[in-house]
Amino acid sequence: MESSLRVLLLSFYFAPDLSAGSFRNTAFVESLKRVLPAGSEIDVVTTLPNRYAGYSAEAKAHEHGDGVLITRVPLPNHKSGMLDQSKSFLAYAKAVRAHVEDKEYDVVYASSSRLMTAALGAWVSRAKKIPLYLDIRDIFVDTIKDVLPPKLALLMKPIFSLVERWTITRASRLNVVSEGFIPYFEQKYPGVSKVVFTNGIDEQFIGLNLNVDSGPVRKAGGEPVEILYAGNIGEGQGLHNIVPAVAENLGERVLFRIIGGGGRLQKLQDVVAARNLTNVVVEAPVSRTELIAAYQQADVLFLHLNDYEAFQKVLPSKLFEYGALGKPIWAGVAGHAANFVRTHLSNAAVFAPCDAEGAVVAFAALDIVDAPRDEFVARFKRTAIMDAMAKDLVATVGKSS
């Protein structure tokens, strides 16, 4: 009989917060509950909901049940600026260090997009002399040059490169959410054990009612085609660089509905106002239930990443939700993400990031009709992917003991 395990799970975002990290790690805890030996304990240290300044969700600071203890750290009020984010993380890190001081664990799992939660996991791993399982959702060092001002990026990159090396070389196992990340980590850290468990499709998005018998709708004349984007509105998405130009070109043929918040929200609103666009509507973040209703109402689902070299390696989690819904997908992506769309997603049109003319051409190639993608859904169910990752974590602990 396998002995029970004590797992420390660090994720800055967790349910009911709205983010890819929250959805991923909440699902991972459910998988751990299924996979861990009997009597195991999962100690989750996260934050109270804080993903968007314009959205709040009620959550308890402490929850305990079914072998899971969840501690949510309160954070100072913040927006999307780097200074605010740094203050928030420092508050989280301080709380984590205090939380784990008198506790013992068998493994620490840290899920991170901006490296620092991973570094915090590495610190716990060293302090407690236990294995570290890292789940890396973005290559922060690779994106610094694109998302920070040039002078600041020049200053910060060497510092974060050292943090990255200190963190990654500590890992007993390194998971990345995109196969496009593997060459980067293989070149820099060939001795670290690596695996790829992608994002996936949550149960809420499987089996939703689709208008599969409606045939092509709203393709010419009549009401405008409703284009939906829901999620972060930041520099990485670059919506301010593409949506106004495309909306101006297509005019009354389309209605862009943008749901979300982030560091470039105001910039997007300013450009829309400056061009006097009436076919772009920007709305505040909503709950996941409301989001699903918005998805079902939409005619086309829109995705865009800014024209940065680093983003050629990423695989946006949103593609999995979009794919499950059976709606036409209109994606301004390059590199690995573009290849993934072309390989796995039917009725999806890809254009180069920030290329408004190319976007218009791609839009014309779409069939504005709902059609299920059964093979895609079967292959990328979140539960199956997370269960496999949970088993990999248990195996990693076994190899380290």
Side-chain angles (χ1 to χ4, degrees):
M1 181 178 177
E2 291 181 288
S3 57
S4 60
L5 295 177
R6 292 158 296 179
V7 179
L8 173 65
L9 189 146
L10 302 179
S11 175
F12 198 77
Y13 300 113
F14 200 78
D17 218 340
L18 301 175
S19 77
S22 169
F23 304 146
R24 178 175 180 81
N25 289 297
T26 302
F28 186 57
V29 166
E30 293 302 312
S31 289
L32 282 174
K33 286 159 60 177
R34 288 190 290 270
V35 168
L36 287 173
S40 295
E41 297 175 357
I42 307 166
D43 192 359
V44 178
V45 188
T46 183
T47 63
L48 285 168
N50 68 95
R51 183 64 175 88
Y52 296 114
Y55 175 84
S56 61
E58 293 298 320
K60 295 178 180 178
H62 300 279
E63 289 185 46
H64 193 190
D66 206 11
V68 181
L69 170 66
I70 302 174
T71 302
R72 295 185 176 90
V73 177
L75 299 179
N77 290 333
H78 70 286
K79 295 187 178 178
S80 296
M82 188 170 181
L83 182 60
D84 277 358
Q85 291 177 6
S86 299
K87 289 178 180 177
S88 294
F89 179 78
L90 288 173
Y92 174 60
K94 182 179 178 181
V96 168
R97 293 184 67 165
H99 181 88
V100 305
E101 186 174 7
D102 60 351
K103 296 180 177 64
E104 296 299 325
Y105 303 99
D106 296 300
V107 61
V108 54
Y109 164 95
S111 183
S112 190
S113 66
R114 294 177 184 169
L115 183 61
M116 297 314 296
T117 303
L120 184 59
W123 176 84
V124 174
S125 170
R126 288 172 185 265
K128 300 290 184 180
K129 297 181 173 58
I130 56 176
L132 170 65
Y133 194 107
L134 284 182
D135 178 51
I136 298 298
R137 307 194 311 273
D138 204 355
I139 306 176
F140 188 62
V141 170
D142 203 30
T143 60
I144 284 176
K145 67 182 184 299
D146 296 324
V147 299
L148 294 182
K151 289 184 179 178
L152 183 59
L154 196 64
L155 174 68
M156 299 303 291
K157 185 169 182 176
I159 298 171
F160 281 110
S161 292
L162 289 173
V163 174
E164 181 190 83
R165 176 161 293 278
W166 183 85
T167 300
I168 301 300
T169 53
R170 175 63 204 177
S172 304
R173 187 74 148 166
L174 171 66
N175 177 67
V176 294
V177 301
S178 169
E179 289 185 14
F181 293 166
I182 288 291
Y184 173 92
F185 286 109
E186 191 59 42
Q187 180 182 3
K188 297 186 72 173
Y189 312 106
V192 177
S193 176
K194 304 171 191 69
V195 68
V196 181
F197 292 107
T198 65
N199 282 298
I201 305 163
D202 287 318
E203 289 298 321
Q204 299 99 309
F205 294 93
I206 295 174
L208 293 176
N209 293 327
L210 299 172
N211 298 317
V212 293
D213 299 322
S214 63
V217 294
R218 301 184 182 179
K219 191 158 188 180
E223 295 182 55
V225 175
E226 183 176 305
I227 314 296
L228 177 67
Y229 170 83
N232 194 44
I233 305 173
E235 184 64 22
Q237 291 72 37
L239 297 184
H240 55 287
N241 292 331
I242 189 70
V243 170
V246 174
E248 191 169 53
N249 185 300
L250 293 175
E252 295 181 356
R253 293 165 56 193
V254 301
L255 170 65
F256 274 94
R257 186 182 181 192
I258 313 294
I259 301 175
R264 284 291 183 263
L265 170 62
Q266 190 59 54
K267 177 66 174 177
L268 173 63
Q269 291 175 319
D270 289 346
V271 178
V272 168
R275 297 194 181 199
N276 295 314
L277 297 173
T278 59
N279 60 344
V280 179
V281 177
V282 182
E283 303 174 16
V286 297
S287 70
R288 222 167 186 202
T289 301
E290 294 172 286
L291 174 61
I292 289 173
Y295 278 150
Q296 290 179 294
Q297 179 182 320
D299 297 313
V300 174
L301 302 177
F302 183 77
L303 175 71
H304 185 261
L305 294 177
N306 221 332
D307 189 16
Y308 295 148
E309 181 185 353
F311 291 164
Q312 296 199 17
K313 302 180 181 74
V314 306
L315 181 60
S317 61
K318 197 166 295 299
L319 282 173
F320 296 94
E321 293 179 3
Y322 281 11
L325 290 160
K327 300 278 182 179
I329 297 171
W330 190 17
V333 293
H336 181 65
N339 291 335
F340 182 89
V341 172
R342 294 186 179 109
T343 301
H344 296 291
L345 293 167
S346 57
N347 197 18
V350 175
F351 62 94
C354 300
D355 179 3
E357 291 184 7
V360 171
V361 172
F363 176 73
L366 287 172
D367 288 326
I368 314 302
V369 58
D370 293 357
R373 301 182 179 94
D374 295 334
E375 184 178 339
F376 180 82
V377 171
R379 180 167 182 172
F380 292 105
K381 282 185 178 180
R382 173 96 76 181
T383 51
I385 294 170
M386 292 293 92
D387 281 359
M389 186 167 151
K391 291 174 183 175
D392 190 62
L393 180 142
V394 173
T396 299
V397 178
K399 292 175 184 175
S400 300
S401 57

